[in-house]
Amino acid sequence: MQLDDAGNYIINKLNDELPEYLNYHNSSHTLDVYEAVKRLAQANGIAGDEMTLLLTAAYYHDSGFLVKANGHEVESCRIARETLPNFGYDTNEIDKICGMIMATRLPQSPKNHLEEILADADLDYLGRDDFSFIANQLFLENSFFGTAGDMDAWNRKQVAFMEKHQYFTKTANNLRQAKKDANLGRIKAQVK
C-alpha cells in the first residue's frame, strides 16, 4: 500500500477540483482529520497495516465532495474503489477503508475500533480551541447550500448536534470532551 502516493493524489485532486464555496469540506479539513487520526491511532496502539488503512480512509473520507455534497460518503467509497488499486490496495483493504468512510456519515455509526477512530477524528474540532473558526467555515458552506439559516438558527442546529454527539474512543473523550462541553456552553449562551 502506497499511502503517501495515494494521499498526494487525492489532496492534489481536492485542491484542483473542489469548488471554492466548500469552506469546510476541503483539503484543509482532510489534512486536519488525517492529523487527528494519527494522534488518536497512536494513542490507541494502532500501527502497521491498520494505521495505513486508517490514514488512507482519512485522506479519502470526504473525496466524494468532488462529485456531490449529499451522499458524499458513497461517492468517497466509489472514488476509493476506483483509485486505490493503482496504489497497491486490494479489495479487502478497500472494503475496510470504505467501512471507515461510511462510519463518518451522520449520525455516525462505527462498527469497529478503526471506524470509531475515524469517526472521532472527523469531529475532533468540536472539542478544540479552534472550534469557533472551523464552525464558522461550516456555517459559510451551509449558507451557500441554503441550509444554515441565520446565525441564531445555525447556533440552535449546532447545540442540537453537539448535545447528541458522542466521542467513541476513550482517548477522544479524554482529549476533547471537556473542551467540547465548554464550546457547547458558549454557543448556548449565544442562542436567543
Side-chain angles (χ1 to χ4, degrees):
M1 292 180 285
Q2 302 157 22
L3 172 65
D4 291 342
D5 292 339
N8 288 335
Y9 169 82
I10 201 64
I11 291 297
N12 288 334
K13 200 163 176 59
L14 295 174
N15 284 335
D16 293 343
E17 297 178 27
L18 281 178
E20 287 186 25
Y21 58 76
L22 292 176
N23 298 74
Y24 174 81
H25 290 102
N26 54 36
S27 63
S28 294
H29 168 68
T30 298
L31 293 171
D32 184 63
V33 171
Y34 179 91
E35 290 302 320
V37 160
K38 199 187 298 186
R39 194 171 43 253
L40 291 171
Q42 288 170 342
N44 282 273
I46 305 297
D49 286 350
E50 284 191 329
M51 178 67 97
T52 300
L53 293 174
L54 252 174
L55 292 173
T56 305
Y59 273 136
Y60 280 78
H61 82 284
D62 278 343
S63 61
F65 274 91
L66 291 161
V67 181
K68 64 180 183 177
N70 198 9
H72 67 272
E73 297 90 355
V74 171
E75 291 299 325
S76 297
C77 287
R78 185 186 59 74
I79 291 167
R81 289 186 193 288
E82 287 177 3
T83 305
L84 292 176
N86 301 327
F87 298 106
Y89 292 77
D90 66 31
T91 304
N92 184 46
E93 292 161 342
I94 296 169
D95 286 346
K96 289 177 183 174
I97 289 166
C98 285
M100 290 180 244
I101 290 170
M102 294 309 293
T104 66
R105 184 168 40 183
L106 299 176
Q108 293 179 321
S109 56
K111 295 174 179 57
N112 61 49
H113 195 50
L114 296 181
E115 292 179 9
E116 288 176 348
I117 290 171
L118 184 61
D120 283 352
D122 193 29
L123 295 174
D124 184 66
Y125 82 97
L126 294 176
R128 293 194 328 224
D129 290 334
D130 60 353
F131 167 79
S132 294
F133 172 79
I134 293 172
N136 189 58
Q137 297 305 302
L138 189 56
F139 169 73
L140 294 172
E141 183 175 304
N142 278 272
S143 294
F144 177 85
F145 290 114
T147 57
D150 64 14
M151 189 52 78
D152 193 55
W154 174 249
N155 283 337
R156 283 189 228 283
K157 287 179 185 179
Q158 286 197 104
V159 167
F161 177 77
M162 290 174 75
E163 285 180 339
K164 288 181 193 165
H165 171 264
Q166 64 173 15
Y167 287 115
F168 297 96
T169 64
K170 192 176 193 177
T171 306
N173 268 308
N174 291 340
L175 283 174
R176 301 294 182 220
Q177 188 63 46
K179 185 67 179 179
K180 184 186 110 175
D181 292 343
N183 289 334
L184 175 58
R186 235 179 27 257
I187 297 169
K188 280 182 171 179
Q190 295 172 19
V191 172
K192 295 173 185 159

